[in-house]
Amino acid sequence: MKKYFLHTNNETIGPFDIEELKALKITKATPVWFEGMQHWKTAGEIPELTRLFIAIPPPISSFSSALPTPKEEKIADERKILGLSKNTFLIVFGILALTAATLVFNNIQENRSRELKLKNHKTEVENYQLELKQKELEEQKIEAAIQEKIDADRRERKKKQSSSNRLLEIENLLVNYQNNLDENEKKLNNTSGFKLLRTAAEKKEQMDLLQKNIDSIKNEMVKLKNESDQLKLELEKIPQ
C-alpha cells in the first residue's frame, strides 16, 4: 500500500496511508510526497487524494455579510443603463453607432456619386454645346469662303466686262484719232503747198498749229495703245 509523507509546521511527518491521511484532515494546500515522486506536490494535485477533501460550509455569520445591502443593490441598479447592463448597453450602443456611421458613410458616398454624375452630365452638355459651336463656326467659315469666292468671281467678271468695254472704247477712240490724224496730215500737206493770199508768217503759223494737233493726236493714240496693251494683259490673267 502507498505511503505518504506530509510537510507541516516546518517538519516532515509520515508515512501515512489513505485512512490515516483522512483522519489528519489535510487540505488541498498540504505538501505531500510519496515514493516515486521527484518533487513535493500539494495534496490537491494528487488525484487519489481528492476524495479526502470535503467541502465545509462557512460560519453562518458570513451569510448576512454575503447578502447585498440596499446600498449595494442601488449601486448595482445604477450600473444598469436603460434597463440593460453596462456591457450590454455598450455593445448595443456600439452596434447602433456603427450602423449610424455606415448609413452616414453610404449617404456621403451616394451624394458624391450623385454630384459626380451631375458634374459629368454638365461636362457632356458643355462638350456637346462646344461641338455644336465649333460646327457652326466651321459652317460659317465655309459659307464665308463660298461668299468670298462668289464676290471674287463677280468682281472678276465686272473687271473683265469693264476692261472689255474700255478696250472697245479705246478701239473706237483710236479710229477717231486716226481719222483726225489723217485729216490734219492732209491739211498740213495742203497748207505747205498753198501760197495764195498768205504771207510766209501766216503760212508758218498755220502749219505749226496743224503740226501741234498732229503731235497731240499721236501722243493720245500712244497712251491709248499702251492702256489697251495693259488691259489685254490683265484680261489674260483673269480665269475664263
Side-chain angles (χ1 to χ4, degrees), residues 133-193:
K133 187 66 176 178
Q134 290 177 344
K135 185 177 180 181
E136 182 180 354
L137 291 175
E138 291 296 330
E139 291 176 351
Q140 290 176 356
K141 288 181 180 179
I142 294 173
E143 292 178 358
I146 294 174
Q147 186 62 41
E148 185 177 353
K149 181 67 169 56
I150 293 173
D151 293 341
D153 292 342
R154 184 172 61 251
R155 288 192 298 270
E156 293 294 338
R157 289 194 302 270
K158 185 176 180 181
K159 183 177 181 181
K160 183 178 180 180
Q161 184 63 41
S162 177
S163 297
S164 298
N165 293 338
R166 179 58 179 166
L167 282 173
L168 184 60
E169 182 180 357
I170 289 173
E171 289 177 1
N172 293 330
L173 289 172
L174 287 173
V175 171
N176 292 332
Y177 278 130
Q178 186 63 48
N179 292 333
N180 289 332
L181 180 61
D182 293 342
E183 184 178 352
N184 280 276
E185 287 179 345
K186 184 178 180 181
K187 288 181 179 180
L188 180 60
N189 290 330
N190 292 334
T191 302
S192 63

Side-chain angles (χ1 to χ4, degrees), residues 197-229:
L197 300 176
R198 288 188 304 168
T199 63
E202 291 176 341
K203 181 180 178 181
K204 185 177 184 305
E205 182 180 356
Q206 189 175 5
M207 290 178 65
D208 289 342
L209 180 60
L210 289 171
Q211 185 63 48
K212 185 177 181 181
N213 289 338
I214 291 171
D215 292 340
S216 177
I217 292 172
K218 287 182 177 181
N219 288 333
E220 291 297 325
M221 291 179 69
V222 170
K223 291 180 181 179
L224 289 174
K225 287 179 180 180
N226 290 335
E227 183 181 355
S228 176
D229 293 339

